[in-house]
Amino acid sequence: MTTIEILDDWYGANAIDYEDAWEIQRSLHAQRVADEIGDTAMFLEHPPVYTAGRRTEPHERPFDGTPVVDVDRGGKITFHGPGQLVGYPITKLPSHVLVVDYVRRVEEAMIRAAADLGVTTGRVQGRSGVWVAASGVRPERKVGAIGIRVSRGVTMHGFSLNADVDLAFYERFVPCGIADAGVTSLSAEVGRDVTVRETARAVAPHLAELLAWEPYSPSPDLAEQVEIGPRVPVGSPVIR
């Protein structure tokens, strides 16, 4: 079983600029390709920044002139900023692991961490990331995003999980190219302040377990959760 080392010196006042973190990523990536280091992940916060993946359309960019960093990952445009845990796993994929399996494992780590923090989440078919189910007049809303690159068998970029981020930043652009759904945070859903450090502590063990490449049982998609509904033990009274 492999283990992953997590570097996490960049929270709060030590938040690291996106391009500085990207340079560290490139260095770690080169070292991992050469087997000079083992699997490593950077956990951090960024000062406010918008980053655009290769599939970003012009109309999805911020409409207020906010600068955007164009990056070499997949996916579309997203926001990074204070109150959001960003994770960059630099991990060598075993020969039997497909990229889609890696993505699903990172999603699963966020889903399990969110559950530990009191928020039920899941996947939505046809959409990447981690979502909270629609409720009342509120649509499905995204709480965790993924955008990765795999080069020479080693991953770069990664995931973001909204802890207590200012959601107003998402009103300036089309998040991840999805205009018919919302964006949320763990704090907004659970009704208390969930910090980035608390979120990181929740994610870390799940990410380490799932990137050890052992078999696992994925959490149900949101649609499956709705279809299953609440479970009532046999013989229990039904309260109306």
Side-chain angles (χ1 to χ4, degrees):
M1 178 181 293
T2 60
T3 58
I4 188 165
E5 179 183 5
I6 294 178
L7 311 177
D8 61 351
D9 298 327
W10 305 284
Y11 300 139
N14 294 324
I16 182 172
D17 285 341
Y18 183 86
E19 295 192 75
D20 291 340
W22 195 3
E23 184 62 34
I24 296 173
Q25 275 196 79
R26 285 192 284 258
S27 175
L28 292 172
H29 182 273
Q31 294 175 69
R32 186 66 188 97
V33 167
D35 285 325
E36 296 172 355
I37 61 172
D39 289 343
T40 304
M42 299 171 64
F43 277 16
L44 50 87
E45 284 178 274
H46 286 306
V49 61
Y50 295 89
T51 68
R54 292 187 296 262
R55 293 175 49 240
T56 303
E57 300 290 340
H59 72 276
E60 295 165 351
R61 292 172 178 262
F63 45 77
D64 62 353
T66 302
V68 176
V69 178
D70 290 286
V71 295
D72 59 353
R73 61 165 170 79
K76 296 204 172 200
I77 190 167
T78 193
F79 169 77
H80 296 308
Q84 180 191 74
L85 172 67
V86 177
Y88 297 133
I90 314 295
T91 182
K92 182 168 287 189
L93 299 183
S95 59
H96 68 279
V97 172
L98 301 177
V99 173
V100 67
D101 181 30
Y102 168 70
V103 170
R104 295 294 173 260
R105 286 172 180 267
V106 174
E107 287 174 343
E108 186 68 25
M110 288 194 283
I111 290 168
R112 294 181 181 185
D116 291 344
L117 295 167
V119 181
T120 299
T121 63
R123 300 176 186 83
V124 173
Q125 289 191 3
R127 291 178 169 176
S128 68
V130 175
W131 296 77
V132 177
S135 56
V137 298
R138 302 178 70 191
E140 290 173 340
R141 43 211 184 271
K142 196 169 193 176
V143 69
I146 293 182
I148 70 161
R149 181 186 182 209
V150 179
S151 175
R152 301 176 67 185
V154 175
T155 64
M156 287 185 68
H157 301 289
F159 69 90
S160 60
L161 185 55
N162 292 343
D164 56 353
V165 67
D166 181 357
L167 297 175
F169 281 107
Y170 290 91
E171 298 173 1
R172 304 177 185 178
F173 72 114
V174 181
C176 301
I178 298 171
D180 61 345
V183 178
T184 190
S185 68
L186 297 173
S187 295
E189 296 299 327
V190 81
R192 67 174 180 86
D193 186 18
V194 180
T195 68
V196 169
R197 289 182 183 274
E198 183 181 4
T199 303
R201 288 194 296 269
V203 171
H206 294 298
L207 188 70
E209 177 185 355
L210 288 155
L211 296 189
W213 312 114
E214 296 295 325
Y216 75 101
S217 297
S219 300
D221 291 353
L222 288 186
E224 294 172 341
Q225 295 176 31
V226 171
E227 290 171 2
I228 292 171
R231 296 179 178 178
V232 179
V234 174
S236 297
V238 177
I239 301 174
R240 300 186 184 278

